Each structure stands twice: as structure tokens, then as C-alpha cells.
Amino acid sequence: MINASPKRQGGSELTVLPRAFYDRDPLVVAPELLGKLLVRGRRSARIVEVEAYRGSEDPASHAYRGMTRRNATMFGPPGHLYVYFTYGMHWCANAVCWPAQRAGAVLLRALAPQQGLDEMWESRPRARIERDLCSGPAKLCQAFGLDGSFDGADLVTGERGVVIADNAEVVLEAPSQGERIGITPATGAAWRWWVSGDPNVSRPGGNAVRGLRRDEV
DNA sequence: ACCGGGATGTTCT
DNA sequence: GAACATCCCGGTG
């Protein structure tokens, strides 16, 4: 039980997002997560890029073909962290959404580091500039030390020391929106959102894989 | 800046 | 055996 009510370095209290925040359609939750703070111990960062995965209705979702050992957390209650292993070496983190069984999730794709940067640099020795710390789904897991032992962690109680908190200081402009990145069933759905112009966004030009250009909103 | 390819091993077919 | 919600490095302009 750590950091259920984390404090900023300056002393102002942070408000942890309640369960009800996550208990909604991931398409609604995802853009609302922009600007919120991911907090673990002294480390905190503003969420600047997310993608929605719509459970069993979404061919690109890990939950599309039903529950397996890997994706079991997605089928549990909302407000927990779904952390999975991919490409033989990387971890990625999602916030579980929707009521249990619907298996919705929001992938955290990029963060803007706020505090505890020294620990992030230590966790990411290959990073050369600050925007390399959290500018990708696997990078941010490295920076925050998130791995399989955090799969299922409750973001509301802060049971394993990780929470997502409100961030009243940030005024949020209308986010940019485009297609999701790195999925093979290219669904055509624009279920990725990012903070316009933020240098930490993983691919500012949209889905620009292999020379493809995407229209931005 | 952009592009191509290798790393690396779990999960599911 | 193939796929994988990625990253990093080394090539070329």
C-alpha cells in the first residue's frame, strides 16, 4: 500500500482517478487520459499519447479471440494495469476499461516526464535526450520499471505503488487523432489520440510506418 | 531526416 | 512455426 494519495514535490496533493473513470467505453476513456499523471514513487509523467482497444469487438485487441493466460487481466474489473510482453524483449502497459468481461483497454503510448527524471535516466541508459525517456509504449515501461510483476496492479488503490492521478494544472487543448500504430488488422478506426505538438509523442506525423503518410485531424 | 533490418522469446495456431 | 500493440543502430541522402 503505497502512494494511494501521492504528493507532488511541491507539496500539492494529487487526486487519484476513481474506479468509475475507467468503467466506461475505452473510446471515451482514452482521450480523457491525456494530460493525466502516471505516478510511481518519485517518478511521474503526463500522458500525451494513447490508443483504445475495444475488447472482443476489436480485431486488433488481444481480447478479440477470448481470454488466455496473457490477457486475463483485460477481462477483470476496470482500473487495473494490463502489462504484456512482446517482441521477445519489451513490456507495454494498458489501463483496463469497461466493466469486467468486456475486456476494454487503453494502451499508454507516450508520456512527458515531470518528476523523478534521475530514476528514469537510470532505467533507460541508452536514452540520449529527454524525449527518448518515455516516447513509446515500451520505453515508458522501462522508464517506470514496469514489467510482468505489475500485470493486474490496481491503479485506484495504488496497491503496487502505481496510480494515475488528475492533473488540474494542465489545460488540455483538443487532441490530435489518427489510426493506431503497429497493428496488423489495420481496422481503419482512428482510435489513437495524442497531445498536439508534444515532443514526446511516439510518431508525431501519425501512422507513418514504412513511408505511409496518414492524414491528421 | 529517412529507411531497413536485426534482436529476442513468449504466445497461440 | 508464425506472429508479435517495439526499439535500436547503422546505412544513406
Side-chain angles (χ1 to χ4, degrees):
Chain A
M1 209 52 129
I2 309 166
N3 271 331
S5 295
K7 298 195 182 219
R8 288 174 160 266
Q9 233 156 36
S12 56
E13 192 96 2
L14 292 179
T15 306
V16 173
L17 299 183
R19 187 86 53 205
F21 178 89
Y22 301 98
D23 196 358
R24 298 176 293 161
D25 190 325
L27 295 184
V28 174
V29 174
E32 289 190 22
L33 274 173
L34 293 176
K36 303 295 193 287
L37 283 178
L38 180 68
V39 182
R40 179 184 178 204
R42 287 179 43 242
R43 289 174 259 200
S44 71
R46 209 157 35 84
I47 299 171
V48 297
E49 183 186 354
V50 293
E51 283 177 358
Y53 286 86
R54 223 151 169 263
S56 26
E57 307 170 18
D58 178 0
S61 170
H62 290 167
Y64 186 57
R65 289 174 179 80
M67 186 164 69
T68 64
R69 167 126 89 263
R70 174 174 72 161
N71 68 18
T73 297
M74 295 183 84
F75 288 83
H80 290 248
L81 209 53
Y82 166 50
V83 182
Y84 68 90
F85 188 63
T86 191
Y87 288 103
M89 62 192 102
H90 296 306
W91 298 99
C92 295
N94 298 251
V96 174
C97 300
W98 258 350
Q101 305 306 319
R102 294 203 69 169
V106 174
L107 173 68
L108 304 180
R109 283 201 57 94
L111 313 172
Q114 302 287 296
Q115 293 175 357
L117 293 251
D118 54 334
E119 294 185 10
M120 297 186 198
W121 282 109
E122 285 175 24
S123 302
R124 281 191 48 70
R126 320 200 93 149
R128 309 183 97 80
I129 56 176
E130 185 175 315
R131 75 150 14 123
D132 285 337
L133 290 176
C134 297
S135 56
K139 294 181 193 176
L140 69 90
C141 281
Q142 278 181 229
F144 274 74
L146 299 178
D147 60 17
S149 69
F150 287 85
D151 182 40
D154 193 333
L155 293 168
V156 180
T157 66
E159 134 221 29
R160 277 173 241 180
V162 184
V163 297
I164 297 178
D166 214 331
N167 189 10
E169 297 178 15
V170 170
V171 181
L172 188 60
E173 296 180 24
S176 297
Q177 186 175 0
E179 258 186 72
R180 293 175 292 182
I181 289 173
I183 54 175
T184 47
T187 61
W191 290 353
R192 167 180 177 247
W193 290 264
W194 66 95
V195 174
S196 312
D198 191 288
N200 298 279
V201 169
S202 66
R203 269 119 131 185
N207 190 351
V209 191
R210 300 289 172 263
L212 287 181
R213 274 269 164 233
R214 287 231 42 78
D215 295 332
E216 295 193 35
V217 176

